[in-house]
Every structure is written in structure tokens, then in C-alpha cells.
DNA sequence: GTCTATACGCTGATAGAC
DNA sequence: GTCTATCAGCGTATAGAC
């Protein structure tokens, strides 16, 4: 018997990995319960429905991203270093075992998701895009970045490319994520 | 009673749409059979296993892409116009009802796919990436495009961005696909 | 909190009649 | 080619004992 909070957190950790690895329709309560060596019903005790579980994954990720952006270590970095720290998130997913990012998994499965999950997915995408847009805007104003057009459009390209590259890796080569990041850096060079 | 080839083609058309709309694990034989007003077993007659169906979808798409690139109308266009024609594929998917592209759907579900489908997915990604790389390479040599680094890296960014943007649209705004394409064009401007 | 037991629709798939 | 009938297994989910 574990403690409540411990099992609950383990479920969430595992489920998030499964979601990034296999998509929301590609994992089941059985995957979780057998991996944690508990029964199906124990998982349902902590997260009654799969939608509850999905929502919890996304909300935690949003809180984590918020905390990450406000982290004091982050605040002291210059703009290109901040961008590279952001790239680090995607490098981590690759290292995890070629996981895709949460946004990519959720948006691809979007039409099959319960509406509560759809709403959280929208909020997650908005959080990340807004932060990236601000980074690019201020970075260009400070002379650290150079790009044509407006920061929003550039943020869309950068984010969508990272998301897409992380998926593409699976059908091509792991080096393609790094290739995309290097090329993005080149394109933003002053 | 329809003719053999007609039903078989209708199944393939419908299944491809469902795959782009809901992912490979998000549709079933029932979706297809009820939409075509036939029975489950009739679909299995044409495509015995779901893997057979999936492989057929990808192989047809590969043939279609090959034909598209060799189309005489395409051959006469200049490089920026060729790129815009390529963008048109993604605009079409958006118009279809915010479908994602085949590569994006398959790569996200990749780990759950039967190996025959994984192989075809790799081949599809390779086909498209090679074509795009050649377009960018020759376009730069001809002075139509300008970008730093090598054509392969640039192709990875362009393709992954289109793929990612088409997914992002679902959680944000339809205009984001066009925003991405506009920004890519700006970045490739001489 | 976790268990056993169970419900029940859906899933991909097959056999055999027409 | 399409049908009816049927299958075993898996999916999410619940009730109630410990």
C-alpha cells in the first residue's frame, strides 16, 4: 500500500508519458495499472474518468510551464539562451524515447477529445505561443534576433516547427530535431 | 449493390479522411461501414485487416504525391509558385474540416502502428522531404530563394512547420496556417 | 486506497449463406 | 460482393467488500 499522493502522482507521470508516446487513444487504464502493479479500479479511484486524467495532465503541464518561465535561472538569461532553454524541453522529449510534445499529441487527437480536454489544450497552446511571441518581440527589440514580419507569425513558425520536427523524427532520423533547431537559430541570427 | 472497384475506392477515400481527422486509433470499421451504409464484413472483404487499409492509404498518397510532382502543370512553374502549390495541399486539408496531414497523423500515432504501416510512413516522409529539399536547393541556386545553412535543414523546418501549424490550428485559429506559410515565404525571400 | 467482480458497448476479425 | 451471425478481447467504468 502506497500513500495516496504518491500513487496519484505516479499515475499522472505515467499517463503523461503514455500520452506523449502513444496519443490519447493509444493508451488505456490497463497500461497504467499493470505498469504500477495495481488494479484497474485503483486508477479509477484517483481519476474517475479518462477525461479527468487527461485534464489533470494538461493542467499540470500548464502550471509547470508557468513556473518554468518564471524560474529565476531563466530570468537572468539573454534572449538566445532563453530560446535554447525552450529548445531543451523538446530535446528532453526526444531523449525520453522519441515522445512527441503534449501539444502535438493533443492537437492531432483533438477531434476525439472530450470538450474539457479541448479547452485545456487551447489554453496550453495559447500559454506557450504567447510566451514565445513575447520572447521574439523583446529579443528583436533588443537586437538579439532578426526576422521579417511580426513576432506572432514568427512564433507560430518556430513552435509549429519544433512540434512537427519532434514527430518527424519518428519516421526519419533523431538528428532532424536538432537540424530544425539549428536552422531556426540561423534564421533568427542578426 | 455497387461495383467492386467503386466501393473499394469509397472505403479508401473515407478511411483517409477519418485518419486525417481522428488519427489511426480514432476511427473503426464501424465508422466506415455505417457511413457507406454497408456492413462491417463488407469492409473487411476489401481490406482484411486495418493494417491493410492503413498501408493502402499511405501507398495511394505516395503515388498521388509522385504524380503531383511530375504533373506537367507543375513543371512549368517557377520555384516560388511550386512552393505555393505545395502549400496548397495543406490549405486543402484545412478546408476539408481542419484535417491534419497524413504525415502528422501517422507520426504521432507511430508507436502504435503495425510495422508495415511504419515502413510506409517512413517512405512517405522521405518522399516529401527529398522533393522539398530539391526544390529549395535548385531555387536557391537559381536565385529565387535565400536562406542560410543547407537545403535539407531548411526543408525540415518548412515541412515540420506546415505539419505543426495544421495541427495547431485546431487549438488556436484557422488563420495560423496561413500565418505560418506567409512567414516561411518571408524568410525565404531574397 | 486498493481489491474482486462485473457490466457492457465497441473493436477487429472470421465463417458461411446468398 | 455483401449479408447475417458470431467471436474473443479490450475499452471505460461502477458497486461493494476489505
Amino acid at each position: 500500500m502506497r500513500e495516496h499522493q504518491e500513487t496519484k502522482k505516479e499515475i499522472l507521470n505515467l499517463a503523461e508519458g503514455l500520452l506523449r508516446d502513444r496519443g490519447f487513444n493509444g493508451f488505456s487504464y490497463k497500461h497504467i495499472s499493470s505498469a504500477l502493479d495495481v488494479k484497474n479500479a485503483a486508477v479509477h479511484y484517483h481519476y474517475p474518468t479518462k477525461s479527468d486524467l487527461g485534464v489533470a495532465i494538461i493542467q499540470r503541464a500548464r502550471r509547470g510551464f508557468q513556473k518554468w518561465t518564471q524560474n529565476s535561472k531563466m530570468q537572468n538569461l539573454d534572449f538566445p539562451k532563453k530560446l535554447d532553454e525552450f529548445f531543451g524541453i523538446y530535446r528532453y522529449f526526444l531523449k525520453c524515447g522519441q515522445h512527441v510534445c503534449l501539444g502535438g499529441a493533443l492537437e492531432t487527437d483533438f477531434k476525439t477529445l472530450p470538450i474539457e480536454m479541448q479547452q485545456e489544450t487551447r489554453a496550453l497552446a495559447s500559454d506557450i505561443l504567447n510566451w514565445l511571441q513575447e520572447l521574439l518581440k523583446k529579443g528583436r527589440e533588443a537586437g538579439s534576433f532578426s526576422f521579417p514580419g511580426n513576432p506572432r507569425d514568427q512564433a507560430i513558425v518556430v513552435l509549429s516547427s519544433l512540434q512537427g520536427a519532434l514527430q518527424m523524427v519518428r519516421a526519419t532520423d533523431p538528428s532532424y530535431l536538432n537540424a530544425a533547431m539549428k536552422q531556426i537559430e540561423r534564421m533568427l541570427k542578426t
Side-chain angles (χ1 to χ4, degrees), chain A:
Chain A
M1 311 272 180
R2 313 146 205 259
E3 287 168 41
H4 179 119
Q5 293 306 332
E6 200 178 325
T7 304
K8 189 163 186 173
K9 193 184 279 185
E10 283 182 64
I11 292 169
L12 206 54
N13 291 340
L14 199 68
E16 183 179 336
L18 284 163
L19 173 54
R20 287 197 310 250
D21 203 43
R22 304 172 57 88
F24 192 68
N25 299 318
F27 78 92
S28 70
Y29 275 72
K30 198 178 184 181
H31 281 101
I32 298 168
S33 58
S34 60
L36 295 181
D37 202 36
V38 293
K39 296 299 172 185
N40 170 15
V43 184
H44 276 284
Y45 167 79
H46 294 285
Y47 298 98
T49 72
K50 204 180 175 186
S51 179
D52 295 329
L53 180 55
V55 167
I57 293 169
I58 311 173
Q59 286 181 340
R60 186 178 67 163
R62 289 182 62 200
R63 283 195 306 273
F65 182 72
Q66 222 54 265
K67 267 190 71 177
W68 178 83
T69 59
Q70 289 158 9
N71 177 11
S72 60
K73 201 179 74 183
M74 270 292 287
Q75 302 291 354
N76 297 329
L77 299 175
D78 62 22
F79 295 106
K81 288 239 173 64
K82 273 185 184 162
L83 183 64
D84 192 63
E85 283 293 309
F86 183 64
F87 286 174
I89 300 173
Y90 294 81
R91 282 190 212 102
Y92 168 75
F93 290 151
L94 180 71
K95 213 178 76 181
C96 265
Q98 306 203 337
H99 285 189
V100 302
C101 66
L102 222 40
L106 293 164
E107 290 160 10
T108 304
D109 288 342
F110 197 80
K111 305 268 196 92
T112 72
L113 299 179
I115 43 164
E116 310 88 52
M117 284 187 67
Q118 294 188 345
Q119 284 165 348
E120 286 298 325
T121 301
R122 285 195 195 93
L124 176 68
S126 175
D127 290 350
I128 300 175
L129 208 51
N130 285 335
W131 176 84
L132 188 55
Q133 178 180 351
E134 274 303 292
L135 178 76
L136 292 169
K137 182 171 173 284
K138 290 184 181 155
R140 184 165 67 174
E141 283 166 5
S144 300
F145 296 135
S146 168
F147 55 88
N150 61 63
R152 165 116 311 203
D153 291 352
Q154 186 63 54
I156 292 168
V157 167
V158 170
L159 185 57
S160 63
S161 180
L162 291 171
Q163 179 170 317
L166 205 40
Q167 296 165 3
M168 206 173 295
V169 153
R170 295 176 158 189
T172 56
D173 191 283
S175 67
Y176 283 26
L177 176 67
N178 200 51
M181 297 189 301
K182 267 184 354 210
Q183 187 66 14
I184 291 170
E185 280 173 350
R186 283 192 204 105
M187 296 186 313
L188 295 175
K189 267 246 159 65
T190 51

